[in-house]
Amino acid sequence: MKILVSACLLGLNCRYCGGGCFDDRVVALAKEFCLIPVCPEQLGGLPTPREPDEILNGRVVSKSGIDNTEYFERGAEEVLRLAKLLGCSMAILKERSPSCGSSMVYDGTFTGRKIP
């Protein structure tokens, strides 16, 4: 089985701050499954490191107020293209990320508050 995985969870330094967030549990899955690392933000054209982004009123904006929605949409399209091309049947994505978070992201105020 092929699993799409947020690249930062595998320790790749692609997060906004230039680091990763290595997760032993995710890496251990490589013993049984084919893991496909992706970073939608990089695939969308954003550099690393970069300013943090949060979702506000349906748009993705940087801490200084720059609208980066186009980069995030392009990155999502590229990740979807890869998932289909490679036949991924599952995804493990970084929670609270504006590009990967699914059930919880930050609220767009850059205060650390989260919204479900």
Side-chain angles (χ1 to χ4, degrees):
M1 175 183 355
K2 294 178 184 176
I3 303 174
L4 199 70
V5 177
S6 292
C8 61
L9 295 176
L10 298 174
L12 278 72
N13 295 328
C14 58
R15 294 184 69 220
Y16 75 93
C17 60
C21 48
F22 184 85
D23 188 313
D24 290 325
R25 300 166 299 171
V26 176
V27 173
L29 294 172
K31 293 177 184 174
E32 297 180 47
F33 305 103
C34 177
L35 304 182
I36 310 295
V38 295
C39 177
E41 295 170 27
Q42 286 186 335
L43 288 170
L46 289 170
T48 301
R50 58 190 166 272
E51 274 192 294
D53 286 281
E54 292 187 6
I55 299 172
L56 179 63
N57 299 324
R59 306 296 294 174
V60 184
V61 295
S62 71
K63 191 169 186 176
S64 64
I66 297 169
D67 188 330
N68 284 321
T69 304
E70 180 181 318
Y71 295 106
F72 279 77
E73 288 174 346
R74 184 180 314 131
E77 290 167 0
E78 292 302 318
V79 169
L80 179 59
R81 186 184 335 268
L82 280 171
K84 287 179 177 180
L85 178 69
L86 299 173
C88 296
S89 56
M90 181 184 283
I92 300 173
L93 304 173
K94 174 71 174 85
E95 199 60 83
R96 295 183 298 278
S97 162
S99 62
C100 293
S102 61
S103 62
M104 183 181 298
V105 294
Y106 292 105
D107 70 359
T109 62
F110 295 93
T111 59
R113 290 191 315 220
K114 301 169 205 144
I115 55 173

